[in-house]
Amino acid sequence: MWNETVVSWADASYDNFVGSRWLLSLVISSFLLVVGAIVCTAFLFVYFGPPGCQENQAAVSLALVLPLLSTVLQLTGDTGSLLTSAVVWCYATFLCYSAVSSWPEEDCNPTFAMDHDPVSIVLGIGFILLSLAWTVGMASSSMAQILELGGGGESPHLSSMRVNLVLAFAAAYTGMVLTNWGNTSEAEGKEQSGKAVFWMQFVALLLSIFLYSWTLIAPRLFPDRDFS
């Protein structure tokens, strides 16, 4: 949504210089996000992926390779945007950090001795707030379009149910983030640590990349369908 807004500002600008500056801001912001994600991944390799930590090494490797492949897929097609790919890459890196920082072995997890992990909590809540803001914005736009079309398309009731479902999942995720996923069975009472938490976050990483990649592949596989 933000990418489309900036592009519309660039197209509506009567000054080509001003329009090019809007587009340049998109490229620079996307580049900074990708570089930041790669740098964070390098730190994850150094601190969470020493020899003997095969699970962490696999998670960090996939958190680097899969977003890279999805970005290449987006750049070679007409769907998606570079900014979206960069944001997905950053989110995958965050999920990777949440996963490896939950591994219940001190040799593979330097944060194991910490009572709490403020980084995961702050970043998790930040992503939740951004997701909620995007959901509410898209829902408001959809409702406005429905009213303008005189009730055509998606019904207001269905749109409201979808928003409420997203909010319910966000509330549940917020509770899990604030309680550090509540796993106390595998790490001597430490709430944050546990292999179950690691696999939950790892599966979430894979699903995020899969869903984004599907939005890029589906229009190519089914060109006659409208995915807008």
Side-chain angles (χ1 to χ4, degrees):
M1 183 173 63
W2 173 248
N3 185 89
E4 295 176 355
T5 302
V6 175
V7 172
S8 65
W9 290 346
D11 293 337
S13 177
Y14 294 101
D15 189 342
N16 292 332
F17 177 73
V18 175
S20 61
R21 291 180 63 182
W22 282 117
L23 297 178
L24 182 62
S25 67
L26 277 180
V27 175
I28 293 176
S29 58
S30 301
F31 174 78
L32 292 178
L33 288 174
V34 170
V35 171
I38 294 176
V39 171
C40 291
T41 303
F43 279 106
L44 293 179
F45 266 120
V46 173
Y47 292 103
F48 293 90
C53 302
Q54 291 84 359
E55 292 84 358
N56 283 3
Q57 292 174 354
V60 177
S61 299
L62 290 176
L64 177 65
V65 174
L66 294 182
L68 175 61
L69 293 178
S70 65
T71 301
V72 172
L73 184 64
Q74 177 267 314
L75 292 175
T76 57
D78 299 328
T79 57
S81 65
L82 182 60
L83 181 61
T84 304
S85 298
V87 172
V88 171
W89 198 329
C90 289
Y91 184 62
T93 305
F94 161 71
L95 290 177
C96 180
Y97 169 75
S98 298
V100 297
S101 63
S102 299
W103 191 256
E105 295 179 8
E106 192 168 1
D107 293 339
C108 302
N109 180 10
T111 66
F112 180 78
M114 298 174 58
D115 293 333
H116 301 284
D117 187 2
V119 176
S120 292
I121 295 176
V122 172
L123 291 178
I125 293 177
F127 276 113
I128 291 171
L129 293 177
L130 290 175
S131 300
L132 290 177
W134 178 84
T135 301
V136 172
M138 292 297 294
S140 301
S141 176
S142 298
M143 292 296 292
Q145 293 177 1
I146 292 171
L147 294 176
E148 290 177 0
L149 294 174
E154 185 181 25
S155 67
H157 179 67
L158 181 59
S159 179
S160 177
M161 288 182 58
R162 183 175 61 183
V163 173
N164 289 332
L165 183 62
V166 172
L167 294 177
F169 280 120
Y173 185 79
T174 303
M176 297 302 291
V177 169
L178 291 176
T179 58
N180 290 325
W181 296 89
N183 189 347
T184 61
S185 60
E186 296 190 48
E188 298 180 357
K190 288 187 176 296
E191 297 178 356
Q192 174 190 1
S193 300
K195 293 183 179 180
V197 180
F198 171 87
W199 290 113
M200 288 171 61
Q201 298 282 25
F202 180 68
V203 170
L205 187 158
L206 297 180
L207 286 177
S208 300
I209 300 300
F210 171 77
L211 290 175
Y212 176 61
S213 300
W214 174 248
T215 64
L216 302 175
I217 298 174
R220 304 182 188 184
L221 298 178
F222 307 100
D224 297 332
R225 294 188 59 181
D226 183 13
F227 291 94
S228 60

